[in-house]
mmCIF file with all atom_site columns, all heavy atoms in Angstrom:
data_model
loop_
_atom_site.group_PDB
_atom_site.id
_atom_site.type_symbol
_atom_site.label_atom_id
_atom_site.label_alt_id
_atom_site.label_comp_id
_atom_site.label_asym_id
_atom_site.label_entity_id
_atom_site.label_seq_id
_atom_site.pdbx_PDB_ins_code
_atom_site.Cartn_x
_atom_site.Cartn_y
_atom_site.Cartn_z
_atom_site.occupancy
_atom_site.B_iso_or_equiv
_atom_site.pdbx_formal_charge
_atom_site.auth_seq_id
_atom_site.auth_comp_id
_atom_site.auth_asym_id
_atom_site.auth_atom_id
_atom_site.pdbx_PDB_model_num
ATOM 1   N N   . LEU S 1 1  ? -2.504  2.489   0.356   1.00 0.00 ? 285 LEU S N   1
ATOM 2   C CA  . LEU S 1 1  ? -2.729  1.386   1.271   1.00 0.00 ? 285 LEU S CA  1
ATOM 3   C C   . LEU S 1 1  ? -1.436  0.614   1.419   1.00 0.00 ? 285 LEU S C   1
ATOM 4   O O   . LEU S 1 1  ? -0.622  0.565   0.490   1.00 0.00 ? 285 LEU S O   1
ATOM 5   C CB  . LEU S 1 1  ? -3.814  0.435   0.771   1.00 0.00 ? 285 LEU S CB  1
ATOM 6   C CG  . LEU S 1 1  ? -5.273  0.852   0.882   1.00 0.00 ? 285 LEU S CG  1
ATOM 7   C CD1 . LEU S 1 1  ? -6.150  -0.180  0.176   1.00 0.00 ? 285 LEU S CD1 1
ATOM 8   C CD2 . LEU S 1 1  ? -5.688  1.000   2.339   1.00 0.00 ? 285 LEU S CD2 1
ATOM 9   N N   . ARG S 1 2  ? -1.253  -0.007  2.568   1.00 0.00 ? 286 ARG S N   1
ATOM 10  C CA  . ARG S 1 2  ? -0.146  -0.923  2.762   1.00 0.00 ? 286 ARG S CA  1
ATOM 11  C C   . ARG S 1 2  ? -0.689  -2.283  3.147   1.00 0.00 ? 286 ARG S C   1
ATOM 12  O O   . ARG S 1 2  ? -1.343  -2.437  4.178   1.00 0.00 ? 286 ARG S O   1
ATOM 13  C CB  . ARG S 1 2  ? 0.826   -0.438  3.839   1.00 0.00 ? 286 ARG S CB  1
ATOM 14  C CG  . ARG S 1 2  ? 2.109   -1.275  3.881   1.00 0.00 ? 286 ARG S CG  1
ATOM 15  C CD  . ARG S 1 2  ? 3.053   -0.890  4.999   1.00 0.00 ? 286 ARG S CD  1
ATOM 16  N NE  . ARG S 1 2  ? 2.584   -1.355  6.296   1.00 0.00 ? 286 ARG S NE  1
ATOM 17  C CZ  . ARG S 1 2  ? 3.353   -1.452  7.375   1.00 0.00 ? 286 ARG S CZ  1
ATOM 18  N NH1 . ARG S 1 2  ? 4.639   -1.095  7.310   1.00 0.00 ? 286 ARG S NH1 1
ATOM 19  N NH2 . ARG S 1 2  ? 2.844   -1.867  8.517   1.00 0.00 ? 286 ARG S NH2 1
ATOM 20  N N   . LEU S 1 3  ? -0.405  -3.255  2.314   1.00 0.00 ? 287 LEU S N   1
ATOM 21  C CA  . LEU S 1 3  ? -0.799  -4.620  2.583   1.00 0.00 ? 287 LEU S CA  1
ATOM 22  C C   . LEU S 1 3  ? 0.313   -5.351  3.321   1.00 0.00 ? 287 LEU S C   1
ATOM 23  O O   . LEU S 1 3  ? 1.496   -5.112  3.073   1.00 0.00 ? 287 LEU S O   1
ATOM 24  C CB  . LEU S 1 3  ? -1.110  -5.361  1.285   1.00 0.00 ? 287 LEU S CB  1
ATOM 25  C CG  . LEU S 1 3  ? -2.144  -4.722  0.356   1.00 0.00 ? 287 LEU S CG  1
ATOM 26  C CD1 . LEU S 1 3  ? -2.387  -5.624  -0.845  1.00 0.00 ? 287 LEU S CD1 1
ATOM 27  C CD2 . LEU S 1 3  ? -3.441  -4.440  1.098   1.00 0.00 ? 287 LEU S CD2 1
ATOM 28  N N   . SER S 1 4  ? -0.083  -6.228  4.208   1.00 0.00 ? 288 SER S N   1
ATOM 29  C CA  . SER S 1 4  ? 0.867   -7.045  4.950   1.00 0.00 ? 288 SER S CA  1
ATOM 30  C C   . SER S 1 4  ? 0.570   -8.514  4.715   1.00 0.00 ? 288 SER S C   1
ATOM 31  O O   . SER S 1 4  ? -0.581  -8.904  4.538   1.00 0.00 ? 288 SER S O   1
ATOM 32  C CB  . SER S 1 4  ? 0.796   -6.748  6.449   1.00 0.00 ? 288 SER S CB  1
ATOM 33  O OG  . SER S 1 4  ? 1.125   -5.409  6.723   1.00 0.00 ? 288 SER S OG  1
ATOM 34  N N   . CYS S 1 5  ? 1.601   -9.305  4.734   1.00 0.00 ? 289 CYS S N   1
ATOM 35  C CA  . CYS S 1 5  ? 1.480   -10.748 4.590   1.00 0.00 ? 289 CYS S CA  1
ATOM 36  C C   . CYS S 1 5  ? 2.321   -11.398 5.669   1.00 0.00 ? 289 CYS S C   1
ATOM 37  O O   . CYS S 1 5  ? 3.555   -11.336 5.619   1.00 0.00 ? 289 CYS S O   1
ATOM 38  C CB  . CYS S 1 5  ? 1.934   -11.185 3.202   1.00 0.00 ? 289 CYS S CB  1
ATOM 39  S SG  . CYS S 1 5  ? 1.945   -12.973 2.957   1.00 0.00 ? 289 CYS S SG  1
ATOM 40  N N   . ALA S 1 6  ? 1.655   -11.993 6.633   1.00 0.00 ? 290 ALA S N   1
ATOM 41  C CA  . ALA S 1 6  ? 2.340   -12.679 7.716   1.00 0.00 ? 290 ALA S CA  1
ATOM 42  C C   . ALA S 1 6  ? 2.508   -14.143 7.353   1.00 0.00 ? 290 ALA S C   1
ATOM 43  O O   . ALA S 1 6  ? 1.553   -14.812 6.969   1.00 0.00 ? 290 ALA S O   1
ATOM 44  C CB  . ALA S 1 6  ? 1.556   -12.542 9.015   1.00 0.00 ? 290 ALA S CB  1
ATOM 45  N N   . ALA S 1 7  ? 3.716   -14.630 7.490   1.00 0.00 ? 291 ALA S N   1
ATOM 46  C CA  . ALA S 1 7  ? 4.041   -15.990 7.098   1.00 0.00 ? 291 ALA S CA  1
ATOM 47  C C   . ALA S 1 7  ? 4.455   -16.820 8.303   1.00 0.00 ? 291 ALA S C   1
ATOM 48  O O   . ALA S 1 7  ? 5.029   -16.309 9.265   1.00 0.00 ? 291 ALA S O   1
ATOM 49  C CB  . ALA S 1 7  ? 5.168   -15.996 6.063   1.00 0.00 ? 291 ALA S CB  1
ATOM 50  N N   . SER S 1 8  ? 4.160   -18.098 8.227   1.00 0.00 ? 292 SER S N   1
ATOM 51  C CA  . SER S 1 8  ? 4.586   -19.003 9.288   1.00 0.00 ? 292 SER S CA  1
ATOM 52  C C   . SER S 1 8  ? 6.098   -19.104 9.346   1.00 0.00 ? 292 SER S C   1
ATOM 53  O O   . SER S 1 8  ? 6.691   -19.084 10.421  1.00 0.00 ? 292 SER S O   1
ATOM 54  C CB  . SER S 1 8  ? 3.965   -20.385 9.083   1.00 0.00 ? 292 SER S CB  1
ATOM 55  O OG  . SER S 1 8  ? 4.305   -20.920 7.821   1.00 0.00 ? 292 SER S OG  1
ATOM 56  N N   . VAL S 1 9  ? 6.714   -19.206 8.173   1.00 0.00 ? 293 VAL S N   1
ATOM 57  C CA  . VAL S 1 9  ? 8.162   -19.273 8.052   1.00 0.00 ? 293 VAL S CA  1
ATOM 58  C C   . VAL S 1 9  ? 8.570   -18.616 6.735   1.00 0.00 ? 293 VAL S C   1
ATOM 59  O O   . VAL S 1 9  ? 8.023   -18.946 5.679   1.00 0.00 ? 293 VAL S O   1
ATOM 60  C CB  . VAL S 1 9  ? 8.681   -20.723 8.090   1.00 0.00 ? 293 VAL S CB  1
ATOM 61  C CG1 . VAL S 1 9  ? 10.181  -20.758 7.832   1.00 0.00 ? 293 VAL S CG1 1
ATOM 62  C CG2 . VAL S 1 9  ? 8.367   -21.383 9.420   1.00 0.00 ? 293 VAL S CG2 1
ATOM 63  N N   . LEU S 1 10 ? 9.501   -17.706 6.799   1.00 0.00 ? 294 LEU S N   1
ATOM 64  C CA  . LEU S 1 10 ? 10.123  -17.131 5.608   1.00 0.00 ? 294 LEU S CA  1
ATOM 65  C C   . LEU S 1 10 ? 11.611  -16.993 5.883   1.00 0.00 ? 294 LEU S C   1
ATOM 66  O O   . LEU S 1 10 ? 12.035  -16.092 6.603   1.00 0.00 ? 294 LEU S O   1
ATOM 67  C CB  . LEU S 1 10 ? 9.531   -15.775 5.259   1.00 0.00 ? 294 LEU S CB  1
ATOM 68  C CG  . LEU S 1 10 ? 8.165   -15.754 4.580   1.00 0.00 ? 294 LEU S CG  1
ATOM 69  C CD1 . LEU S 1 10 ? 7.721   -14.317 4.341   1.00 0.00 ? 294 LEU S CD1 1
ATOM 70  C CD2 . LEU S 1 10 ? 8.187   -16.518 3.277   1.00 0.00 ? 294 LEU S CD2 1
ATOM 71  N N   . ASN S 1 11 ? 12.380  -17.879 5.316   1.00 0.00 ? 295 ASN S N   1
ATOM 72  C CA  . ASN S 1 11 ? 13.820  -17.767 5.478   1.00 0.00 ? 295 ASN S CA  1
ATOM 73  C C   . ASN S 1 11 ? 14.424  -17.015 4.307   1.00 0.00 ? 295 ASN S C   1
ATOM 74  O O   . ASN S 1 11 ? 13.731  -16.617 3.367   1.00 0.00 ? 295 ASN S O   1
ATOM 75  C CB  . ASN S 1 11 ? 14.461  -19.146 5.663   1.00 0.00 ? 295 ASN S CB  1
ATOM 76  C CG  . ASN S 1 11 ? 14.242  -20.062 4.474   1.00 0.00 ? 295 ASN S CG  1
ATOM 77  O OD1 . ASN S 1 11 ? 14.321  -19.647 3.324   1.00 0.00 ? 295 ASN S OD1 1
ATOM 78  N ND2 . ASN S 1 11 ? 13.986  -21.338 4.762   1.00 0.00 ? 295 ASN S ND2 1
ATOM 79  N N   . ASN S 1 12 ? 15.718  -16.805 4.367   1.00 0.00 ? 296 ASN S N   1
ATOM 80  C CA  . ASN S 1 12 ? 16.394  -15.976 3.377   1.00 0.00 ? 296 ASN S CA  1
ATOM 81  C C   . ASN S 1 12 ? 16.493  -16.617 2.006   1.00 0.00 ? 296 ASN S C   1
ATOM 82  O O   . ASN S 1 12 ? 16.962  -15.970 1.066   1.00 0.00 ? 296 ASN S O   1
ATOM 83  C CB  . ASN S 1 12 ? 17.793  -15.609 3.874   1.00 0.00 ? 296 ASN S CB  1
ATOM 84  C CG  . ASN S 1 12 ? 17.761  -14.679 5.065   1.00 0.00 ? 296 ASN S CG  1
ATOM 85  O OD1 . ASN S 1 12 ? 16.801  -13.939 5.264   1.00 0.00 ? 296 ASN S OD1 1
ATOM 86  N ND2 . ASN S 1 12 ? 18.824  -14.704 5.859   1.00 0.00 ? 296 ASN S ND2 1
ATOM 87  N N   . PHE S 1 13 ? 16.067  -17.835 1.882   1.00 0.00 ? 297 PHE S N   1
ATOM 88  C CA  . PHE S 1 13 ? 16.147  -18.553 0.616   1.00 0.00 ? 297 PHE S CA  1
ATOM 89  C C   . PHE S 1 13 ? 14.855  -18.442 -0.195  1.00 0.00 ? 297 PHE S C   1
ATOM 90  O O   . PHE S 1 13 ? 14.823  -18.827 -1.361  1.00 0.00 ? 297 PHE S O   1
ATOM 91  C CB  . PHE S 1 13 ? 16.494  -20.016 0.871   1.00 0.00 ? 297 PHE S CB  1
ATOM 92  C CG  . PHE S 1 13 ? 17.008  -20.758 -0.326  1.00 0.00 ? 297 PHE S CG  1
ATOM 93  C CD1 . PHE S 1 13 ? 18.052  -20.249 -1.079  1.00 0.00 ? 297 PHE S CD1 1
ATOM 94  C CD2 . PHE S 1 13 ? 16.460  -21.966 -0.699  1.00 0.00 ? 297 PHE S CD2 1
ATOM 95  C CE1 . PHE S 1 13 ? 18.543  -20.932 -2.183  1.00 0.00 ? 297 PHE S CE1 1
ATOM 96  C CE2 . PHE S 1 13 ? 16.935  -22.666 -1.798  1.00 0.00 ? 297 PHE S CE2 1
ATOM 97  C CZ  . PHE S 1 13 ? 17.975  -22.147 -2.540  1.00 0.00 ? 297 PHE S CZ  1
ATOM 98  N N   . TYR S 1 14 ? 13.799  -17.917 0.388   1.00 0.00 ? 298 TYR S N   1
ATOM 99  C CA  . TYR S 1 14 ? 12.499  -17.882 -0.268  1.00 0.00 ? 298 TYR S CA  1
ATOM 100 C C   . TYR S 1 14 ? 12.367  -16.726 -1.247  1.00 0.00 ? 298 TYR S C   1
ATOM 101 O O   . TYR S 1 14 ? 13.023  -15.693 -1.131  1.00 0.00 ? 298 TYR S O   1
ATOM 102 C CB  . TYR S 1 14 ? 11.383  -17.785 0.771   1.00 0.00 ? 298 TYR S CB  1
ATOM 103 C CG  . TYR S 1 14 ? 10.940  -19.116 1.324   1.00 0.00 ? 298 TYR S CG  1
ATOM 104 C CD1 . TYR S 1 14 ? 11.630  -19.734 2.353   1.00 0.00 ? 298 TYR S CD1 1
ATOM 105 C CD2 . TYR S 1 14 ? 9.816   -19.753 0.813   1.00 0.00 ? 298 TYR S CD2 1
ATOM 106 C CE1 . TYR S 1 14 ? 11.227  -20.957 2.859   1.00 0.00 ? 298 TYR S CE1 1
ATOM 107 C CE2 . TYR S 1 14 ? 9.404   -20.969 1.318   1.00 0.00 ? 298 TYR S CE2 1
ATOM 108 C CZ  . TYR S 1 14 ? 10.111  -21.566 2.339   1.00 0.00 ? 298 TYR S CZ  1
ATOM 109 O OH  . TYR S 1 14 ? 9.692   -22.778 2.835   1.00 0.00 ? 298 TYR S OH  1
ATOM 110 N N   . VAL S 1 15 ? 11.486  -16.930 -2.217  1.00 0.00 ? 299 VAL S N   1
ATOM 111 C CA  . VAL S 1 15 ? 10.988  -15.867 -3.082  1.00 0.00 ? 299 VAL S CA  1
ATOM 112 C C   . VAL S 1 15 ? 9.560   -15.564 -2.649  1.00 0.00 ? 299 VAL S C   1
ATOM 113 O O   . VAL S 1 15 ? 8.769   -16.478 -2.412  1.00 0.00 ? 299 VAL S O   1
ATOM 114 C CB  . VAL S 1 15 ? 11.039  -16.266 -4.560  1.00 0.00 ? 299 VAL S CB  1
ATOM 115 C CG1 . VAL S 1 15 ? 10.385  -15.207 -5.438  1.00 0.00 ? 299 VAL S CG1 1
ATOM 116 C CG2 . VAL S 1 15 ? 12.482  -16.491 -4.984  1.00 0.00 ? 299 VAL S CG2 1
ATOM 117 N N   . ILE S 1 16 ? 9.229   -14.295 -2.549  1.00 0.00 ? 300 ILE S N   1
ATOM 118 C CA  . ILE S 1 16 ? 7.903   -13.867 -2.139  1.00 0.00 ? 300 ILE S CA  1
ATOM 119 C C   . ILE S 1 16 ? 7.273   -13.042 -3.251  1.00 0.00 ? 300 ILE S C   1
ATOM 120 O O   . ILE S 1 16 ? 7.970   -12.440 -4.066  1.00 0.00 ? 300 ILE S O   1
ATOM 121 C CB  . ILE S 1 16 ? 7.939   -13.055 -0.838  1.00 0.00 ? 300 ILE S CB  1
ATOM 122 C CG1 . ILE S 1 16 ? 8.853   -11.833 -0.996  1.00 0.00 ? 300 ILE S CG1 1
ATOM 123 C CG2 . ILE S 1 16 ? 8.420   -13.934 0.315   1.00 0.00 ? 300 ILE S CG2 1
ATOM 124 C CD1 . ILE S 1 16 ? 8.862   -10.906 0.196   1.00 0.00 ? 300 ILE S CD1 1
ATOM 125 N N   . GLY S 1 17 ? 5.945   -12.996 -3.262  1.00 0.00 ? 301 GLY S N   1
ATOM 126 C CA  . GLY S 1 17 ? 5.277   -12.252 -4.309  1.00 0.00 ? 301 GLY S CA  1
ATOM 127 C C   . GLY S 1 17 ? 3.900   -11.763 -3.910  1.00 0.00 ? 301 GLY S C   1
ATOM 128 O O   . GLY S 1 17 ? 3.280   -12.286 -2.982  1.00 0.00 ? 301 GLY S O   1
ATOM 129 N N   . TRP S 1 18 ? 3.467   -10.744 -4.622  1.00 0.00 ? 302 TRP S N   1
ATOM 130 C CA  . TRP S 1 18 ? 2.112   -10.225 -4.523  1.00 0.00 ? 302 TRP S CA  1
ATOM 131 C C   . TRP S 1 18 ? 1.425   -10.355 -5.869  1.00 0.00 ? 302 TRP S C   1
ATOM 132 O O   . TRP S 1 18 ? 2.000   -9.999  -6.904  1.00 0.00 ? 302 TRP S O   1
ATOM 133 C CB  . TRP S 1 18 ? 2.096   -8.761  -4.082  1.00 0.00 ? 302 TRP S CB  1
ATOM 134 C CG  . TRP S 1 18 ? 2.372   -8.560  -2.632  1.00 0.00 ? 302 TRP S CG  1
ATOM 135 C CD1 . TRP S 1 18 ? 3.561   -8.225  -2.059  1.00 0.00 ? 302 TRP S CD1 1
ATOM 136 C CD2 . TRP S 1 18 ? 1.434   -8.675  -1.556  1.00 0.00 ? 302 TRP S CD2 1
ATOM 137 N NE1 . TRP S 1 18 ? 3.430   -8.121  -0.700  1.00 0.00 ? 302 TRP S NE1 1
ATOM 138 C CE2 . TRP S 1 18 ? 2.128   -8.393  -0.360  1.00 0.00 ? 302 TRP S CE2 1
ATOM 139 C CE3 . TRP S 1 18 ? 0.071   -8.980  -1.485  1.00 0.00 ? 302 TRP S CE3 1
ATOM 140 C CZ2 . TRP S 1 18 ? 1.512   -8.410  0.886   1.00 0.00 ? 302 TRP S CZ2 1
ATOM 141 C CZ3 . TRP S 1 18 ? -0.545  -9.008  -0.243  1.00 0.00 ? 302 TRP S CZ3 1
ATOM 142 C CH2 . TRP S 1 18 ? 0.170   -8.727  0.919   1.00 0.00 ? 302 TRP S CH2 1
ATOM 143 N N   . PHE S 1 19 ? 0.202   -10.841 -5.838  1.00 0.00 ? 303 PHE S N   1
ATOM 144 C CA  . PHE S 1 19 ? -0.601  -11.027 -7.032  1.00 0.00 ? 303 PHE S CA  1
ATOM 145 C C   . PHE S 1 19 ? -1.975  -10.426 -6.801  1.00 0.00 ? 303 PHE S C   1
ATOM 146 O O   . PHE S 1 19 ? -2.374  -10.193 -5.669  1.00 0.00 ? 303 PHE S O   1
ATOM 147 C CB  . PHE S 1 19 ? -0.723  -12.515 -7.377  1.00 0.00 ? 303 PHE S CB  1
ATOM 148 C CG  . PHE S 1 19 ? 0.591   -13.173 -7.661  1.00 0.00 ? 303 PHE S CG  1
ATOM 149 C CD1 . PHE S 1 19 ? 1.414   -13.596 -6.630  1.00 0.00 ? 303 PHE S CD1 1
ATOM 150 C CD2 . PHE S 1 19 ? 1.016   -13.362 -8.967  1.00 0.00 ? 303 PHE S CD2 1
ATOM 151 C CE1 . PHE S 1 19 ? 2.633   -14.196 -6.890  1.00 0.00 ? 303 PHE S CE1 1
ATOM 152 C CE2 . PHE S 1 19 ? 2.232   -13.963 -9.240  1.00 0.00 ? 303 PHE S CE2 1
ATOM 153 C CZ  . PHE S 1 19 ? 3.042   -14.375 -8.205  1.00 0.00 ? 303 PHE S CZ  1
ATOM 154 N N   . ARG S 1 20 ? -2.686  -10.198 -7.885  1.00 0.00 ? 304 ARG S N   1
ATOM 155 C CA  . ARG S 1 20 ? -4.041  -9.699  -7.755  1.00 0.00 ? 304 ARG S CA  1
ATOM 156 C C   . ARG S 1 20 ? -4.920  -10.285 -8.838  1.00 0.00 ? 304 ARG S C   1
ATOM 157 O O   . ARG S 1 20 ? -4.458  -10.666 -9.905  1.00 0.00 ? 304 ARG S O   1
ATOM 158 C CB  . ARG S 1 20 ? -4.071  -8.167  -7.820  1.00 0.00 ? 304 ARG S CB  1
ATOM 159 C CG  . ARG S 1 20 ? -3.666  -7.574  -9.159  1.00 0.00 ? 304 ARG S CG  1
ATOM 160 C CD  . ARG S 1 20 ? -3.594  -6.058  -9.051  1.00 0.00 ? 304 ARG S CD  1
ATOM 161 N NE  . ARG S 1 20 ? -3.273  -5.429  -10.322 1.00 0.00 ? 304 ARG S NE  1
ATOM 162 C CZ  . ARG S 1 20 ? -3.039  -4.135  -10.483 1.00 0.00 ? 304 ARG S CZ  1
ATOM 163 N NH1 . ARG S 1 20 ? -3.095  -3.331  -9.422  1.00 0.00 ? 304 ARG S NH1 1
ATOM 164 N NH2 . ARG S 1 20 ? -2.759  -3.649  -11.677 1.00 0.00 ? 304 ARG S NH2 1
ATOM 165 N N   . GLN S 1 21 ? -6.203  -10.339 -8.528  1.00 0.00 ? 305 GLN S N   1
ATOM 166 C CA  . GLN S 1 21 ? -7.166  -10.862 -9.470  1.00 0.00 ? 305 GLN S CA  1
ATOM 167 C C   . GLN S 1 21 ? -8.476  -10.101 -9.329  1.00 0.00 ? 305 GLN S C   1
ATOM 168 O O   . GLN S 1 21 ? -9.077  -10.075 -8.261  1.00 0.00 ? 305 GLN S O   1
ATOM 169 C CB  . GLN S 1 21 ? -7.404  -12.358 -9.254  1.00 0.00 ? 305 GLN S CB  1
ATOM 170 C CG  . GLN S 1 21 ? -8.250  -12.999 -10.334 1.00 0.00 ? 305 GLN S CG  1
ATOM 171 C CD  . GLN S 1 21 ? -8.167  -14.510 -10.311 1.00 0.00 ? 305 GLN S CD  1
ATOM 172 O OE1 . GLN S 1 21 ? -7.899  -15.108 -9.263  1.00 0.00 ? 305 GLN S OE1 1
ATOM 173 N NE2 . GLN S 1 21 ? -8.388  -15.131 -11.453 1.00 0.00 ? 305 GLN S NE2 1
ATOM 174 N N   . ALA S 1 22 ? -8.884  -9.480  -10.417 1.00 0.00 ? 306 ALA S N   1
ATOM 175 C CA  . ALA S 1 22 ? -10.154 -8.786  -10.478 1.00 0.00 ? 306 ALA S CA  1
ATOM 176 C C   . ALA S 1 22 ? -11.207 -9.722  -11.059 1.00 0.00 ? 306 ALA S C   1
ATOM 177 O O   . ALA S 1 22 ? -10.880 -10.681 -11.772 1.00 0.00 ? 306 ALA S O   1
ATOM 178 C CB  . ALA S 1 22 ? -10.028 -7.528  -11.331 1.00 0.00 ? 306 ALA S CB  1
ATOM 179 N N   . PRO S 1 23 ? -12.482 -9.471  -10.779 1.00 0.00 ? 307 PRO S N   1
ATOM 180 C CA  . PRO S 1 23 ? -13.539 -10.338 -11.315 1.00 0.00 ? 307 PRO S CA  1
ATOM 181 C C   . PRO S 1 23 ? -13.457 -10.453 -12.830 1.00 0.00 ? 307 PRO S C   1
ATOM 182 O O   . PRO S 1 23 ? -13.368 -9.450  -13.539 1.00 0.00 ? 307 PRO S O   1
ATOM 183 C CB  . PRO S 1 23 ? -14.821 -9.636  -10.876 1.00 0.00 ? 307 PRO S CB  1
ATOM 184 C CG  . PRO S 1 23 ? -14.427 -8.886  -9.639  1.00 0.00 ? 307 PRO S CG  1
ATOM 185 C CD  . PRO S 1 23 ? -13.023 -8.422  -9.901  1.00 0.00 ? 307 PRO S CD  1
ATOM 186 N N   . GLY S 1 24 ? -13.487 -11.672 -13.322 1.00 0.00 ? 308 GLY S N   1
ATOM 187 C CA  . GLY S 1 24 ? -13.432 -11.910 -14.750 1.00 0.00 ? 308 GLY S CA  1
ATOM 188 C C   . GLY S 1 24 ? -12.066 -11.752 -15.377 1.00 0.00 ? 308 GLY S C   1
ATOM 189 O O   . GLY S 1 24 ? -11.939 -11.876 -16.596 1.00 0.00 ? 308 GLY S O   1
ATOM 190 N N   . LYS S 1 25 ? -11.046 -11.489 -14.568 1.00 0.00 ? 309 LYS S N   1
ATOM 191 C CA  . LYS S 1 25 ? -9.698  -11.297 -15.082 1.00 0.00 ? 309 LYS S CA  1
ATOM 192 C C   . LYS S 1 25 ? -8.780  -12.409 -14.593 1.00 0.00 ? 309 LYS S C   1
ATOM 193 O O   . LYS S 1 25 ? -9.040  -13.055 -13.582 1.00 0.00 ? 309 LYS S O   1
ATOM 194 C CB  . LYS S 1 25 ? -9.141  -9.945  -14.637 1.00 0.00 ? 309 LYS S CB  1
ATOM 195 C CG  . LYS S 1 25 ? -9.997  -8.754  -15.009 1.00 0.00 ? 309 LYS S CG  1
ATOM 196 C CD  . LYS S 1 25 ? -10.024 -8.528  -16.500 1.00 0.00 ? 309 LYS S CD  1
ATOM 197 C CE  . LYS S 1 25 ? -10.803 -7.270  -16.843 1.00 0.00 ? 309 LYS S CE  1
ATOM 198 N NZ  . LYS S 1 25 ? -10.833 -7.024  -18.301 1.00 0.00 ? 309 LYS S NZ  1
ATOM 199 N N   . GLU S 1 26 ? -7.707  -12.610 -15.318 1.00 0.00 ? 310 GLU S N   1
ATOM 200 C CA  . GLU S 1 26 ? -6.722  -13.596 -14.906 1.00 0.00 ? 310 GLU S CA  1
ATOM 201 C C   . GLU S 1 26 ? -5.855  -13.028 -13.799 1.00 0.00 ? 310 GLU S C   1
ATOM 202 O O   . GLU S 1 26 ? -5.739  -11.811 -13.622 1.00 0.00 ? 310 GLU S O   1
ATOM 203 C CB  . GLU S 1 26 ? -5.863  -14.025 -16.091 1.00 0.00 ? 310 GLU S CB  1
ATOM 204 C CG  . GLU S 1 26 ? -5.017  -12.913 -16.677 1.00 0.00 ? 310 GLU S CG  1
ATOM 205 C CD  . GLU S 1 26 ? -4.218  -13.362 -17.886 1.00 0.00 ? 310 GLU S CD  1
ATOM 206 O OE1 . GLU S 1 26 ? -4.401  -14.515 -18.318 1.00 0.00 ? 310 GLU S OE1 1
ATOM 207 O OE2 . GLU S 1 26 ? -3.414  -12.561 -18.394 1.00 0.00 ? 310 GLU S OE2 1
ATOM 208 N N   . ARG S 1 27 ? -5.232  -13.918 -13.049 1.00 0.00 ? 311 ARG S N   1
ATOM 209 C CA  . ARG S 1 27 ? -4.362  -13.496 -11.975 1.00 0.00 ? 311 ARG S CA  1
ATOM 210 C C   . ARG S 1 27 ? -3.133  -12.796 -12.542 1.00 0.00 ? 311 ARG S C   1
ATOM 211 O O   . ARG S 1 27 ? -2.517  -13.265 -13.506 1.00 0.00 ? 311 ARG S O   1
ATOM 212 C CB  . ARG S 1 27 ? -3.960  -14.687 -11.124 1.00 0.00 ? 311 ARG S CB  1
ATOM 213 C CG  . ARG S 1 27 ? -3.135  -14.325 -9.902  1.00 0.00 ? 311 ARG S CG  1
ATOM 214 C CD  . ARG S 1 27 ? -3.087  -15.480 -8.911  1.00 0.00 ? 311 ARG S CD  1
ATOM 215 N NE  . ARG S 1 27 ? -4.396  -15.760 -8.344  1.00 0.00 ? 311 ARG S NE  1
ATOM 216 C CZ  . ARG S 1 27 ? -4.613  -16.645 -7.382  1.00 0.00 ? 311 ARG S CZ  1
ATOM 217 N NH1 . ARG S 1 27 ? -3.606  -17.347 -6.879  1.00 0.00 ? 311 ARG S NH1 1
ATOM 218 N NH2 . ARG S 1 27 ? -5.843  -16.835 -6.931  1.00 0.00 ? 311 ARG S NH2 1
#
């Protein structure tokens, strides 16, 4: 699968990340 994240603004100074959380689990 390929996930996409569209942002209002992302300049070259930002850090971006992907996280996940399953039921009963921590992020």
Side-chain angles (χ1 to χ4, degrees):
L285 284 173
R286 190 184 75 163
L287 305 183
S288 298
C289 176
S292 57
V293 175
L294 283 179
N295 61 41
N296 292 335
F297 198 51
Y298 274 83
V299 174
I300 57 175
W302 284 98
F303 299 81
R304 66 186 183 186
Q305 188 165 26
K309 304 292 184 180
E310 64 182 5
R311 185 165 294 185

